[in-house]
Amino acid sequence: MRLRQAALHAALTAGGLAMVFPFAWMLLTSFKGVRQMLNAPLDWLPHPWRWQNYPDALAAMPFGAAYWNSFYIAALNVTLTLLTSAMAAYAFARIRFRGSGVLFVVFLATQMVPAQVTIVPLYLMLARFGWIDSHLSLILPTVANPFAVFLLRQFIRAVPVELEEAARIDGAGRWRCFWNVVLPNIRPGLGALGIIAFLASWNSFFFPLIFLNSPELATVPLLLSQFSGQRTAVDYGLILAGSAIAVVPTLIAFLIGQRKIINSMAASGLGGR
């Protein structure tokens, strides 16, 4: 048993190091000059440390505007995702109507369709609404999230129905039961889903690349792509310094919420009836 545990820990440690390695390499390389990056054999540690890469990256790229764009888009995405997904999950978990099971299966099946498959009709629809080259094109399509509905439905199904029945005896309606009874009891799921939605919105690159044209509307991932594409001589030190700056919010969100995400996923798998 001890040998098996030791082998398991060794395998997990090796996997963890393999996943941490790209981030550590990016961080170390962001302090190197161009010549040092091209040395053979490869230098692991910078010598000397080129701290100027970070001020140069901030001066070369409008990070302030891109950070603001990404933050407020992510905040709206998280708010709308939590609100609409919680209401849809409550309807699927508590309200029985003809065809609800089939509708839920069809709704979940849309998650298996890659975004690239629906990008053309989505682009045409947003163009008809006049939302191309607008942040609305990055916010409203994320409102319907099958994974979010499924996750919150599992949490709602774990909430005892007797709590709602007691509230109805006291005169509470459907909306009051949802807002005052169900939502407070699924706060761990809402918190985990909020972090997941924030990370997905912050790291999104495909949709901003397709829908945005104006530089002042660019998000952080799109800004980094534009910066590397518009320079004839690529300064990898500046690009990696910019990448390190861009990853800070996602790293903070993950470090704060990793335990909540894991616990919520475990609870959602055990909460069905």
Side-chain angles (χ1 to χ4, degrees):
M1 181 64 68
R2 291 183 178 179
L3 182 60
R4 182 181 299 178
Q5 290 182 349
L8 178 61
H9 290 166
L12 292 176
T13 302
L17 292 176
M19 288 183 284
V20 169
F21 174 77
F23 176 77
W25 177 251
M26 176 194 70
L27 192 61
L28 290 174
T29 309
S30 67
F31 291 101
K32 297 178 182 179
V34 177
R35 291 184 178 179
Q36 190 176 354
M37 297 178 194
L38 303 177
N39 282 349
L42 204 60
D43 293 325
W44 290 94
L45 295 177
H47 58 82
W49 290 72
R50 184 179 169 83
W51 301 94
Q52 190 61 31
N53 283 344
Y54 283 84
D56 290 346
L58 292 174
M61 294 179 274
F63 265 106
Y67 252 81
W68 166 249
N69 292 337
S70 291
F71 265 119
Y72 98 83
I73 291 173
L76 289 177
N77 281 340
V78 169
T79 303
L80 292 176
T81 298
L82 292 180
L83 181 61
T84 59
S85 300
M87 291 191 292
Y90 180 75
F92 282 122
R94 289 290 193 259
I95 303 175
R96 298 300 178 186
F97 54 90
R98 181 175 297 179
S100 60
V102 175
L103 180 61
F104 183 67
V105 171
V106 172
F107 183 65
L108 284 184
T110 62
Q111 190 176 357
M112 296 186 292
V113 181
Q116 292 81 359
V117 174
T118 60
I119 190 64
V120 173
L122 180 61
Y123 186 94
L124 295 176
M125 182 176 65
L126 294 177
R128 180 159 297 188
F129 291 154
W131 291 346
I132 297 300
D133 200 24
S134 167
H135 288 155
L136 288 174
S137 61
L138 306 182
I139 297 171
L140 295 182
T142 63
V143 171
N145 190 325
F147 169 76
V149 174
F150 171 77
L151 180 64
L152 295 184
R153 176 179 177 269
Q154 297 302 101
F155 276 94
I156 293 174
R157 286 167 62 92
V159 176
V161 181
E162 290 77 12
L163 295 177
E164 293 181 63
E165 293 176 348
R168 289 185 182 179
I169 292 175
D170 292 336
R174 181 72 74 179
W175 176 259
R176 190 79 177 268
C177 290
F178 167 73
W179 192 261
N180 295 106
V181 177
V182 174
L183 284 186
N185 283 281
I186 62 170
R187 281 181 294 182
L190 292 173
L193 179 59
I195 295 171
I196 294 172
F198 175 83
L199 294 176
S201 177
W202 182 273
N203 294 324
S204 177
F205 174 73
F206 180 67
F207 285 112
L209 179 65
I210 299 297
F211 296 138
L212 299 182
N213 300 318
S214 302
E216 63 272 11
L217 298 178
T219 58
V220 172
L222 189 59
L223 175 69
L224 291 174
S225 174
Q226 293 173 348
F227 175 74
S228 60
Q230 68 187 5
R231 301 172 69 92
T232 55
V234 179
D235 191 336
Y236 292 104
L238 297 187
I239 294 176
L240 292 176
S243 300
I245 296 172
V247 82
V248 169
T250 59
L251 183 62
I252 293 175
F254 178 76
L255 292 177
I256 292 175
Q258 60 173 335
R259 186 176 298 274
K260 182 176 294 187
I261 293 174
I262 295 173
N263 293 338
S264 297
M265 292 301 179
S268 66
L270 298 175
R273 291 187 178 182

